[in-house]
């Protein structure tokens, strides 16, 4: 057994002890007898001496019996008391025993071997006592529950277990660790309540339980942890509002309670939190105004209050009240008023989806802004003051979409060399696309859809070789679709030119966009055939599988997720969190002609195909069923003919289907999902069968009897005709021949005629 040792020969040692003790007792007995024989005992002392002798004899016999009893009882060595190092070792092994998955082999060294547990991976011990002080099992992908034995590691100061898959409850035994300073259990799957016993960890400085499945109220006892400087409980399912005890944590540097569904009002309790630098209570449905005491936190650098229901106005002197403010996140609230100036220290100004109005502010000289989001407000007027401000050279993200901005987009973009995202969609902007946008080499997203922009696409845009998303839909653009889009902008994933006035053929050069996932050229005046080379789209064909779940752009520690309006399944919806998983090809409402290229059927990852409202002819390709990912398929209002291919039965994910108003004939394939669609999906054809009400019924076979008789009769020998020909030949020969023989003048005339014919 670990921690215990045994003597190799215990019975040999007992026998030796018994032998020596027996000899000693025998010797003492003999001496006592000899002394009694050689002493002269007075007569009157005999009774007294007899009593002493009896007392000695009784004591001697008791010693002998005790000795024999000790010999006959097996002697077991008592186990040593567990010292501190043994306690720590057993506690670590208990922690490992409750971990069922270790994909990275993080706990391989944790075993029963003689290796010092202080050398196990993730374990740090104190040099003097050899007791565990730090446990770091972060980013290990560990699966299991956290053993209550962790509470036996009484010298623990740091627990780092983030980014694993621990489940079940956080053991309350952690409250025994009175030396604990850091507890980081974020990014796991812990359930249950936050242990109230944490109040016993009076030295705790960092408590991070964010991104778990914890429920219930935040324990009031946390308010007694006066040493806390970092408290993060974000992304759990908590309740009870922001707890009042926060006011007691005067050493707080960071407080994150975001996305906890806390509810309630935004309490006015920040007077004493003079050390607070980061505050995030976003995503809690908080109501009311921003508390005045918050503006007294002059040390604040990051303030995140987005996704709440806050009202009121921002103070005009915000910059002087919070001189160190670097990030201000207030999007998705009901903040009102106009925005007069932007503090020069701000790197992030996120005020999207509020009720702000007025004209756009100009950026001050020396501005260090990186992200500017003023989208979904009521800003009016020109963008000139903002775009053409002096000193703008570091900003990377601008979103002014969904406002009421108007006027011409100015030609000042050569100053924006760091810009990566420019979103101007859904305003009233007019004029042409500025040619200076081609001077923004790092641009990855250009969104200008939903405006009144006219003219053709400037050739300077071909310099945007990093462009991933180009959205110019719903404008008044004209001209041909330039071939350089496919040649120069090869990184495009989304190309949306929907609802413009482009004309001419669809350029084959678009086939070079191998990474494209969404191509929308619908509602234009395009003509000609559909390019057969569309099978070069490697993402749509399944040759390239690295689809992004979300289209996102990183700006340091900040991630921006793209949203876009797409038309699928006959309706227009906003796609955000799953935008990167959508695959779409829409060529509808043009003047395209010719047949549907069979090459399109190789686009196995395509989800939405819309070729409706064109002038397409011919039959639907037989292998259309190879497009297994199709969810939306629309061929309506064309001139297609023939029957519906039986391979349509292989499209098991179809939720939108329309082939109405073509020249299709025959029976609708049965036993498929097609029968679940309404009759309107098949109107305007000569189709029959379910789901249509006109049953195909019995199809009459053509009457081939008369034809067979006719054919049979044609093979009979017509002897009358043959006899007539022979008789006619014989009669004519003899009439002419006999006349020439009997009449000399006829004979001379006949030969003269023949001579003339020969000369001719």
């Amino acid at each position: 057994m670990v921690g215990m040792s045994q003597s190799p020969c215990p019975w040999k040692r007992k026998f030796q002890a018994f032998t020596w003790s027996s000899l000693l007792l025998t010797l003492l007995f003999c001496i006592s007898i000899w002394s009694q024989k050689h002493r002269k005992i007075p007569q009157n002392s005999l009774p007294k001496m007899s009593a002493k002798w009896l007392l000695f004899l009784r004591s001697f016999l008791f010693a002998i019996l005790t000795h024999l009893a000790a010999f006959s009882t097996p002697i077991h060595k008592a186990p040593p008391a567990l010292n501190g190092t043994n306690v720590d070792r057993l506690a670590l092994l208990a922690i490992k025993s409750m971990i069922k998955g270790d994909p990275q082999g993080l706990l391989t060294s944790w075993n029963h071997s003689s290796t010092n547990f202080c050398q196990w991976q993730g374990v740090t011990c104190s040099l003097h006592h050899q007791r565990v002080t730090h446990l770091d099992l972060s980013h290990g992908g560990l699966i299991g529950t956290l053993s209550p034995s962790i509470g036996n590691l009484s010298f623990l100061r740091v627990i780092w277990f983030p980014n694993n898959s621990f489940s079940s409850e956080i053991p309350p035994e952690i409250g025994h660790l009175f030396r604990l300073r850091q507890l980081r259990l974020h990014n796991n799957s812990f359930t249950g309540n936050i242990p109230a016993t944490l109040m016993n960890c009076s030295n705790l400085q960092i408590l991070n339980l964010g991104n778990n499945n914890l429920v219930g109220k935040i324990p009031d006892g946390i308010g007694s942890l006066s040493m806390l400087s970092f408290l993060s409980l974000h992304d759990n399912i908590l309740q009870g509002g922001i707890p009042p005890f926060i006011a007691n944590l005067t050493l707080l540097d960071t407080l994150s309670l975001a996305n906890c569904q806390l509810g309630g009002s935004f309490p006015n309790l920040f007077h004493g939190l003079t050390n607070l630098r980061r505050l995030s209570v976003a995503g809690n449905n908080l109501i009311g105004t921003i508390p005045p005491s918050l503006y007294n936190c002059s040390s604040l650098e990051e303030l995140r209050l987005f996704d709440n229901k806050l009202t009121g106005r921002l103070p005009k002197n915000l910059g002087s009240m919070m001189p160190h403010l670097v990030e201000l996140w207030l999007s998705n609230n009901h903040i009102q008023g106009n925005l007069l100036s932007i503090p020069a220290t701000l790197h992030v100004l996120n005020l999207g989806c509020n009720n702000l109005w007025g004209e756009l502010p100009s950026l001050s000289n020396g501005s260090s802004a990186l992200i500017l989001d003023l989208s979904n407000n009521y800003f009016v007027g020109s963008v000139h003051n903002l775009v053409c401000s002096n000193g703008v050279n570091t900003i990377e993200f601008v979103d002014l979409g969904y406002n009421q901005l108007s006027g011409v987009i100015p030609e000042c973009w050569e100053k924006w060399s760091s810009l990566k995202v420019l979103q101007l969609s859904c305003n009233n902007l007019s004029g042409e696309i500025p040619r200076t946008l081609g001077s923004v080499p790092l641009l990855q997203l250009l969104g200008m859809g939903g405006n009144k922009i006219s003219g053709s696409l400037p050739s300077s845009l071909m310099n945007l070789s990093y462009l991933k998303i180009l959205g110019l839909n719903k404008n008044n653009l004209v001209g041909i679709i330039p071939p350089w889009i496919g040649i120069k902008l090869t990184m495009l994933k989304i190309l949306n030119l929907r609802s413009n006035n482009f004309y001419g053929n669809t350029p084959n050069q678009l086939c070079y966009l191998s990474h494209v996932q969404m191509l929308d050229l619908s509602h234009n005046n395009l003509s000609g055939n559909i390019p057969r080379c569309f099978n070069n789209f490697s993402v749509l064909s399944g040759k390239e599988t690295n689809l992004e779940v979300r289209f996102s752009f990183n700006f340091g520690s900040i991630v921006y997720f793209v949203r876009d309006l797409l038309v699928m399944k006959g309706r227009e919806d906003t796609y955000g969190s799953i935008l990167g998983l959508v695959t779409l090809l829409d060529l509808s409402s043009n003047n395209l002609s010719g047949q549907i290229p069979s090459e399109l059927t190789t686009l196995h990852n395509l989800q939405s195909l819309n070729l409706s409202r064109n002038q397409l002819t011919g039959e639907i390709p037989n292998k259309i069923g190879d497009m297994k990912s199709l969810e939306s398929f629309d061929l309506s209002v064309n001139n297609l003919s023939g029957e519906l291919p039986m391979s349509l039965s292989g499209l098991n994910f179809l939720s939108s289907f329309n082939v109405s108003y073509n020249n299709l004939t025959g029976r609708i394939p049965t036993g498929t999902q097609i029968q679940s669609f309404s009759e309107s999906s098949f109107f305007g054809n000569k189709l029959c069968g379910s789901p249509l009400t006109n049953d195909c019924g019995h199809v009459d076979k053509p009457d081939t009897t008369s034809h067979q008789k006719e054919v049979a009769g044609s093979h009979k020998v017509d002897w009358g005709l043959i006899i007539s020909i022979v008789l006619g030949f014989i009669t004519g020969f003899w009439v002419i021949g006999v006349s020439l023989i009997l009449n000399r003048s006829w004979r001379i005339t006949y030969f003269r005629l023949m001579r003339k014919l020969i000369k001719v």
Side-chain angles (χ1 to χ4, degrees):
M1 181 179 292
V2 177
M4 296 182 64
S5 61
Q6 294 181 347
S7 177
C9 300
W11 287 103
K12 183 177 180 181
R13 292 177 59 187
K14 292 179 181 180
F15 180 77
Q16 292 173 351
F18 175 79
T19 303
W20 284 106
S21 59
S22 299
L23 290 174
L24 180 60
L25 288 173
T26 303
L27 180 61
L28 290 174
F29 180 77
C30 293
I31 292 173
S32 63
I33 294 298
W34 180 83
S35 62
Q36 292 296 327
K37 281 185 176 183
H38 292 80
R39 287 184 63 183
K40 292 182 179 180
I41 303 174
Q43 191 69 26
N44 56 359
S45 63
L46 283 175
K48 186 177 181 180
M49 291 303 296
S50 299
K52 289 182 178 181
W53 171 252
L54 291 175
L55 180 62
F56 167 78
L57 185 59
R58 185 174 61 183
S59 301
F60 176 77
L61 291 175
F62 177 78
I64 292 295
L65 292 174
T66 303
H67 184 66
L68 291 174
F71 174 74
S72 62
T73 304
I75 299 177
H76 295 283
K77 184 177 181 180
L82 288 176
N83 55 30
T85 57
N86 285 329
V87 170
D88 285 5
R89 182 187 186 91
L90 293 176
L92 293 175
L93 292 174
I95 292 173
K96 179 182 178 179
S97 68
M98 298 187 70
I99 294 176
K100 307 305 180 184
D102 183 9
Q104 300 180 22
L106 196 63
L107 304 180
T108 303
S109 59
W110 293 34
N111 52 53
H112 293 276
S113 67
S114 59
T115 306
N116 186 348
F117 63 83
C118 292
Q119 299 176 5
W120 292 355
Q121 185 172 352
V123 179
T124 301
C125 295
S126 59
L127 295 177
H128 181 62
H129 298 289
Q130 289 292 288
R131 300 296 301 275
V132 178
T133 58
H134 289 63
L135 272 184
D136 184 357
L137 301 180
S138 57
H139 305 278
L142 300 174
I143 304 172
T145 58
L146 185 55
S147 171
S149 297
I150 197 169
N152 295 335
L153 300 172
S154 56
F155 276 73
L156 260 186
R157 288 175 171 80
V158 175
I159 298 177
W160 277 16
F161 287 2
N163 299 294
N164 286 290
S165 296
F166 284 102
S167 57
S168 192
E169 297 184 352
I170 299 173
E173 287 78 4
I174 286 182
H176 299 164
L177 305 176
F178 64 92
R179 292 184 174 91
L180 195 63
R181 297 178 182 176
Q182 297 185 27
L183 178 59
R184 301 176 185 261
L185 302 179
H186 53 288
N187 299 339
N188 279 282
S189 301
F190 286 108
T191 58
N193 293 11
I194 299 173
T197 56
L198 288 177
M199 65 179 296
N200 300 325
C201 303
S202 56
N203 290 302
L204 204 60
Q205 299 173 4
I206 296 177
L207 176 58
N208 193 344
L209 306 180
N211 198 16
N212 281 285
N213 298 314
L214 301 173
V215 297
K217 289 186 61 176
I218 302 174
D220 292 337
I222 292 181
S224 64
L225 302 177
S226 58
M227 302 295 290
L228 269 184
S229 63
F230 186 102
L231 175 58
S232 180
L233 305 176
H234 67 90
D235 291 282
N236 283 288
I237 312 171
L238 305 176
Q239 60 186 21
I242 297 176
F245 66 71
I246 296 295
N248 302 332
L249 306 177
T250 56
L251 297 183
L252 271 183
D253 171 89
T254 299
L255 174 61
S256 178
L257 303 176
N259 302 315
C260 287
Q261 306 177 24
L262 290 171
S265 61
F266 199 170
N268 190 25
L269 47 71
F270 297 92
H271 297 89
L273 305 185
T274 57
N275 297 305
L276 194 62
R277 294 192 303 125
R278 301 180 185 88
L279 173 63
S280 178
V281 292
N284 281 295
N285 292 318
L286 299 177
I287 59 175
T289 61
I290 299 175
S293 61
L294 186 59
Y295 296 118
N296 294 333
C297 298
S298 57
S299 298
L300 265 179
E301 298 176 5
E302 299 178 14
L303 179 58
R304 303 191 177 196
L305 308 178
F306 58 89
D307 293 341
N308 284 293
K309 299 177 181 178
L310 300 175
T311 58
R313 299 191 178 194
L314 294 175
K316 297 180 180 180
N317 56 343
L318 179 64
S320 60
M321 298 173 70
M322 296 181 174
H324 303 290
L325 196 61
V326 175
E327 296 184 14
L328 178 59
W329 301 77
L330 289 175
S331 61
N332 292 304
N333 280 286
H334 304 296
I335 304 297
Q336 301 176 352
N338 55 4
L339 196 62
L340 299 178
S341 62
I342 301 175
T345 58
L346 278 180
H347 291 173
V348 177
L349 179 60
N350 184 330
L351 301 177
C353 298
N354 278 286
N355 297 321
L356 300 171
W357 63 78
E359 295 189 355
L360 294 176
S362 60
L363 295 179
S364 59
N365 291 336
S367 172
S368 57
L370 295 176
I371 293 180
L372 177 62
D373 187 352
L374 303 178
S375 62
N376 291 275
N377 281 285
Y378 300 97
F379 289 109
V380 297
S382 173
V383 298
H384 185 275
N385 289 340
L386 176 66
V387 174
C388 298
S389 299
N390 295 324
V392 179
N393 54 15
T394 60
I395 195 165
E396 298 181 7
F397 174 96
V398 173
D399 191 349
L400 305 177
Y402 293 88
N403 280 285
Q404 299 175 10
L405 301 172
S406 59
V408 176
I409 305 174
E411 291 276 7
C412 300
W413 298 100
E414 66 274 0
K415 299 179 180 181
W416 297 68
S417 59
S418 300
L419 193 61
K420 296 179 181 178
V421 172
L422 175 60
Q423 184 62 271
L424 301 174
S425 298
C426 299
N427 282 284
N428 295 313
L429 299 171
S430 57
E432 297 187 356
I433 298 175
R435 56 178 178 78
T436 53
L437 277 175
S439 303
V440 187
L442 301 179
L443 198 62
Q444 299 180 37
L445 184 153
L446 176 58
M448 305 177 75
N451 284 285
K452 300 176 181 178
I453 300 173
S454 58
S456 59
L457 297 183
S459 59
S460 61
L461 295 184
M462 72 172 64
N463 298 326
L464 306 179
S465 57
Y466 291 99
L467 204 61
K468 294 181 179 179
I469 299 175
L470 178 58
L472 302 175
N473 53 300
K474 294 186 177 180
N475 279 289
N476 299 318
L477 296 170
V478 296
I480 64 170
I481 297 177
W484 51 257
I485 290 182
I487 298 173
K488 296 294 185 179
L489 309 183
T490 56
M491 296 185 68
L492 275 179
K493 291 180 175 291
I494 299 179
L495 175 59
N496 192 346
L497 303 180
R498 179 186 184 90
S499 299
N500 281 284
N501 297 310
F502 290 108
Y503 57 81
N505 292 340
T506 306
N508 288 333
Q509 288 81 358
L510 291 183
C511 299
Y512 297 135
L513 302 176
S514 60
H515 304 296
V516 75
Q517 295 179 215
M518 284 161 266
L519 176 61
D520 193 343
L521 307 179
S522 63
H523 293 269
N524 282 283
N525 297 315
L526 300 176
S527 57
N529 296 336
I530 300 173
R532 293 186 173 276
C533 57
F534 277 0
N535 59 349
N536 290 338
F537 297 149
S538 59
V539 172
L540 299 184
S541 64
K543 299 174 184 176
E544 181 181 339
T545 58
N546 57 337
L547 295 178
E548 301 178 25
V549 177
R550 296 182 175 181
F551 278 120
S552 61
F553 298 94
N554 296 326
F555 304 95
S557 61
I558 301 167
V559 181
Y560 171 76
F561 297 104
V562 180
R563 295 183 178 182
D564 200 4
L565 281 173
L566 300 177
V567 178
M568 289 183 64
K569 305 178 183 179
R571 63 179 185 269
E572 188 176 52
D573 294 311
T574 299
Y575 289 79
S577 59
I578 61 170
L579 180 63
L581 295 178
V582 177
T583 54
L584 176 148
L585 176 59
D586 194 342
L587 305 177
S588 63
S589 299
N590 281 286
N591 297 313
L592 299 174
S593 58
Q595 296 185 344
I596 299 174
S598 60
E599 287 80 1
L600 288 183
T601 62
T602 63
L603 302 180
H604 301 153
N605 278 0
L606 188 62
Q607 297 171 344
S608 178
L609 176 60
N610 193 345
L611 304 178
S612 65
R613 300 184 181 277
N614 280 286
Q615 300 175 18
L616 299 175
T617 58
E619 298 183 353
I620 300 173
N622 284 328
K623 294 186 177 181
I624 200 71
D626 292 348
M627 305 176 74
K628 300 295 185 182
S629 300
L630 273 185
E631 300 176 13
S632 179
F633 185 32
D634 194 346
L635 300 178
S636 61
V637 194
N638 277 286
N639 297 315
L640 299 172
S641 58
E643 297 184 352
L644 290 175
M646 289 301 300
S647 65
L648 285 171
S649 61
L651 302 180
N652 298 321
F653 297 104
L654 272 183
S655 57
S656 178
F657 179 75
N658 196 346
V659 292
S660 62
Y661 299 102
N662 280 282
N663 298 316
L664 300 172
T665 59
R667 184 189 298 271
I668 297 174
T670 57
T672 69
Q673 194 170 344
I674 294 180
Q675 272 69 50
S676 64
F677 299 112
S678 65
E679 295 183 54
S680 61
S681 297
F682 305 93
F683 284 166
N685 291 285
K686 297 180 180 179
L687 297 169
C688 60
S690 177
L692 297 177
T693 55
N694 56 323
D695 187 13
C696 294
H698 176 70
V699 179
D700 294 331
K701 296 183 179 180
D703 186 8
T704 60
T705 305
S706 59
H707 176 69
Q708 290 174 351
K709 291 180 180 179
E710 202 173 298
V711 173
S714 65
H715 289 288
K716 292 181 179 179
V717 179
D718 193 346
W719 291 106
L721 177 63
I722 296 175
I723 293 171
S724 300
I725 293 173
V726 172
L727 290 176
F729 177 77
I730 295 173
T731 301
F733 175 78
W734 283 108
V735 169
I736 295 173
V738 170
S739 299
L740 290 177
I741 294 172
L742 297 178
N743 194 327
R744 182 172 178 271
S745 61
W746 284 14
R747 190 167 55 249
I748 294 171
T749 302
Y750 172 77
F751 283 111
R752 285 179 179 176
L753 178 63
M754 293 299 296
R755 190 181 297 115
K756 289 181 180 180
L757 291 174
I758 293 172
K759 289 181 179 180
V760 175

